[in-house]
Amino acid sequence: MTSFCASVPVSMATRMHCDWCGRRSAQSSAAHHLRDARFQRIQTRHSAVRVRAPVKMTTKSCAAEIDVAIVGGGPGGLAAAAAITSAFGNSLNVKVFEIQKAYKPQGSVIALAVNCQYALEAIDPDMLSRFTSKGIQIHEQIHRDTTGKVVRATENQDQAIDVLEQKYKKRPVVIGWHECRQLLFEELPPETVEFDKQMTHYVQDDHGVTLHFDREQPAVHAKLLVGADGYFSKVRTQCLDDGPPTFSKSVHWRARVGWQEGMPKSNTLVKYTLPGMHMWSPAAESRGALVIPMGTMESTKDKGWTWILGAPIEEVRKAGVHFDPNARTAKTIQGDAESSSALENALKVFPDFPPELMGVVRQTDPATVTQHGLYMRDLSGLSVDAEDFDAQANGDDKENNSHDALRAGPQNGTVDKSDRPTHGAGSAAAHDTPRSKGIWGQGRVTLVGDAAHATINNGQGFCLAIEDGVVLAWHLRRQGLCQQALRMYEKERLPRVRTVYQKGNSAASAQDKEKYLYQPTFKALWRKQEDQEDATSCITGFEPLEF
């Protein structure tokens, strides 16, 4: 499907008047109505078509009342919003709060692995084709050493992937991170994403969570809060207070560029590393580089390549470049460029790398270069006693006697929202029911993506964030907008995430990839709930590793 709004800066401040319906939208008329039409298709997949209730205001605080608030408008947050929208058929008010003023082309490349493809299909059966139509397949890999000498060149080297494709009718593709974000954004109803909204803190009470924003922007009260705000998640900081992620002692630079003379042909990946060195590893002791083609949209096809440079922090400091890994201004993997000095730093750290590579780097627009560290969250120490966990989660039913009315099964008809409370945004309500404590959340708050389980770049960070959204939406639909659903989501995700990080990454064997990426699938969110009544988990065909 053709992309319509990738070239339009999507901002709440830049709105267009629709020529067809008279409404104001952040998109062109065509994109605006095609997104409406797509959303109508989501609605009609439910036996009872429900109309989303308008946003309400509480009587005491004038805080807008919504059902689900998602902090962070990256792919993880957008996927969670799309999944919840699909599962509930537009009966809920879901809002995504994004700190940027507009989406713009940024970031580098994403490997759309098969497990992510299954997750996209669980959200919408047609969504995967919209992604794969923009992606490309890597057919050749050229490995050069740091002087530029060819160490190994392989064409169509992965016969095991060919075999798996014949068996499962799916194959990994690569696509731009910006393109993934844009495609997910286009899946959402208009006005779902609110830009230029930075959450400062939240206040949780027995009925929900009140979000407060900078610049005295109006507060918002939601029944649930989902933190999708990356490495240095403000939601996680307040919810878990477990400190920052661990710096992997590796610094990376990356940028999108157009093809230039001397660059490899399309569908070819080139890496510059010492033999046997994996540049994403925390134990990497030398510098490395990648030049990768990526799938794009019509508006970004002139920037269809990305280069990535990576170096241990010792090499960075040896080059005289200052990098503070604990600075709260540190950007996420795909974040905005910090300043034009990022390119200058990259050139200082890699002065001796091959001219054909560094020539491309030097000609890159400095404003598009991102400099960032790689960070991880240790998952090895996380565990949940099943008995205590279930008792904690089930206790939530006492706190929300009406949560059955918020289940999204089509048999329930229109959702009754008359139970919305009225309260002050900062009120200290009596906590009659203890807030359940989970792996990645507390009470009515949970996390997805890097905010929950950041790891090194192993090809699965993006994919697992999409999985998170699907599993979260499935548990919300099954159990309602309550603490229990959040805790059961976390309980299902932990063994999956740990297993895929160990056995489903880009360096995994073909046997492990088949077992952990190709065989497991997800319950479809767009199917009727009664078709899946006996299911207790969203993912099927998955056997986690023992930890």
Side-chain angles (χ1 to χ4, degrees):
M1 185 174 181
T2 305
S3 170
F4 300 96
C5 61
S7 61
V8 180
V10 184
S11 171
M12 300 303 291
T14 53
R15 316 202 58 76
M16 297 181 224
H17 198 278
C18 179
D19 297 329
W20 297 345
C21 72
R23 285 184 289 171
R24 298 188 70 78
S25 170
Q27 297 175 291
S28 65
S29 295
H32 169 63
H33 282 272
L34 280 166
R35 282 181 63 199
D36 276 352
R38 183 182 301 164
F39 192 66
Q40 287 298 323
R41 292 199 299 273
I42 293 175
Q43 285 185 304
T44 56
R45 282 200 294 268
H46 295 261
S47 59
V49 178
R50 290 155 290 187
V51 178
R52 183 193 301 209
V55 174
K56 295 182 180 180
M57 308 297 286
T58 61
T59 58
K60 293 183 180 180
S61 67
C62 292
E65 278 281 352
I66 62 175
D67 292 300
V68 181
I70 300 173
V71 174
L78 296 176
I84 294 170
T85 297
S86 176
F88 283 78
N90 198 31
S91 63
L92 299 183
N93 289 317
V94 180
K95 287 290 185 181
V96 179
F97 300 105
E98 166 57 31
I99 189 173
Q100 294 189 66
K101 294 182 178 180
Y103 286 150
K104 59 183 179 181
Q106 63 186 114
S108 58
V109 67
I110 292 296
L112 206 66
V114 170
N115 59 313
C116 183
Q117 297 179 25
Y118 285 132
L120 292 172
E121 286 181 320
I123 298 174
D124 184 319
D126 301 322
M127 187 185 295
L128 176 59
S129 63
R130 293 193 279 274
F131 276 74
T132 55
S133 66
K134 306 301 180 186
I136 63 172
Q137 297 179 6
I138 300 295
H139 295 305
E140 183 178 12
Q141 294 189 28
I142 301 175
H143 182 189
R144 300 177 181 271
D145 63 21
T146 54
T147 69
K149 179 181 178 181
V150 175
V151 176
R152 183 176 65 256
T154 55
E155 187 171 357
N156 296 323
Q157 86 290 354
D158 208 336
Q159 296 180 356
I161 296 298
D162 295 337
V163 173
L164 291 172
E165 180 182 15
Q166 293 177 4
K167 186 175 180 180
Y168 295 95
K169 310 304 180 187
K170 283 181 170 55
R171 187 184 187 96
V173 298
V174 293
I175 183 172
W177 182 89
H178 165 75
E179 283 72 14
C180 288
R181 180 180 62 181
Q182 192 65 38
L183 288 167
L184 287 166
F185 173 79
E186 292 176 5
E187 293 294 324
L188 299 174
E191 315 303 330
T192 298
V193 180
E194 293 194 9
F195 293 89
D196 198 20
K197 296 294 285 287
Q198 180 174 358
M199 188 201 78
T200 58
H201 66 284
Y202 66 82
V203 176
Q204 185 170 185
D205 58 35
D206 288 341
H207 305 292
V209 184
T210 300
L211 286 70
H212 296 268
F213 302 93
D214 67 350
R215 306 193 309 277
E216 298 184 350
Q217 296 183 83
V220 172
H221 184 268
K223 290 185 178 294
L224 299 178
L225 169 60
V226 179
D229 45 345
Y231 279 158
F232 298 101
S233 167
K234 286 191 174 183
V235 176
R236 180 172 187 140
T237 298
Q238 182 172 344
C239 181
L240 301 182
D241 192 24
D242 58 351
T246 302
F247 178 49
S248 71
K249 300 183 179 180
S250 181
V251 183
H252 282 216
W253 295 261
R254 62 184 75 205
R256 298 173 62 116
V257 295
W259 188 89
Q260 301 175 29
E261 195 65 37
M263 290 177 62
K265 61 184 180 181
S266 181
N267 304 103
T268 300
L269 177 152
V270 181
K271 65 177 179 179
Y272 299 81
T273 64
L274 294 177
M277 198 275 284
H278 194 292
M279 66 181 291
W280 309 116
S281 169
E285 298 179 352
S286 61
R287 298 163 297 161
L290 290 174
V291 179
I292 316 173
M294 59 185 175
T296 60
M297 293 173 151
E298 184 65 25
S299 62
T300 54
K301 65 181 181 180
D302 62 330
K303 298 287 187 182
W305 290 76
T306 185
W307 57 258
I308 305 171
L309 305 175
I313 187 64
E314 292 81 5
E315 294 284 345
V316 175
R317 291 168 177 163
K318 188 186 300 183
V321 172
H322 173 72
F323 179 82
D324 180 3
N326 297 314
R328 284 299 175 268
T329 56
K331 302 300 180 180
T332 61
I333 284 183
Q334 309 289 355
D336 289 331
E338 293 178 346
S339 69
S340 60
S341 64
L343 177 59
E344 298 173 7
N345 292 342
L347 295 174
K348 290 179 181 178
V349 178
F350 296 85
D352 55 337
F353 263 51
E356 68 269 18
L357 167 66
M358 299 312 295
V360 173
V361 173
R362 287 189 184 89
Q363 294 181 48
T364 304
D365 179 358
T368 66
V369 180
T370 300
Q371 172 182 286
H372 59 85
L374 294 186
Y375 300 83
M376 298 181 294
R377 290 282 182 183
D378 183 12
L379 303 179
S380 61
L382 297 178
S383 63
V384 176
D385 184 283
E387 212 170 291
D388 291 346
F389 187 95
D390 290 337
Q392 250 195 101
N394 289 328
D396 185 58
D397 287 340
K398 300 175 183 177
E399 166 237 352
N400 186 8
N401 293 327
S402 63
H403 83 276
D404 283 340
L406 287 167
R407 289 180 179 171
Q411 69 274 19
N412 291 322
T414 303
V415 172
D416 179 10
K417 297 181 183 282
S418 60
D419 65 320
R420 279 196 171 98
T422 59
H423 57 278
S427 63
H431 301 294
D432 297 327
T433 302
R435 294 175 193 160
S436 59
K437 294 183 179 179
I439 303 165
W440 295 314
Q442 183 179 136
R444 292 173 171 270
V445 181
T446 194
L447 306 169
V448 298
D450 283 342
H453 44 73
T455 187
I456 58 172
N457 268 13
N458 62 3
Q460 278 294 328
F462 172 89
C463 298
L464 288 173
I466 306 303
E467 285 192 16
D468 287 347
V470 172
V471 176
L472 173 61
W474 188 85
H475 282 283
L476 291 177
R477 183 173 79 165
R478 182 171 179 268
Q479 302 182 64
L481 301 188
C482 59
Q483 298 184 45
Q484 179 182 0
L486 303 186
R487 303 294 83 83
M488 298 309 291
Y489 147 75
E490 295 163 6
K491 181 180 179 182
E492 182 172 359
R493 289 307 291 155
L494 179 60
R496 171 66 176 171
V497 169
R498 289 200 297 200
T499 298
V500 171
Y501 278 164
Q502 289 203 18
K503 294 292 186 178
N505 58 53
S506 56
S509 67
Q511 182 179 4
D512 283 341
K513 285 180 179 178
E514 179 174 15
K515 183 176 182 179
Y516 298 114
L517 303 184
Y518 284 78
Q519 291 180 352
T521 57
F522 302 87
K523 298 288 196 310
L525 300 174
W526 43 271
R527 287 187 178 144
K528 295 180 181 179
Q529 186 174 345
E530 58 259 32
D531 294 342
Q532 305 173 21
E533 281 183 351
D534 59 344
T536 57
S537 60
C538 178
I539 192 167
T540 63
F542 170 64
E543 296 182 8
L545 293 173
E546 293 292 334
F547 291 91

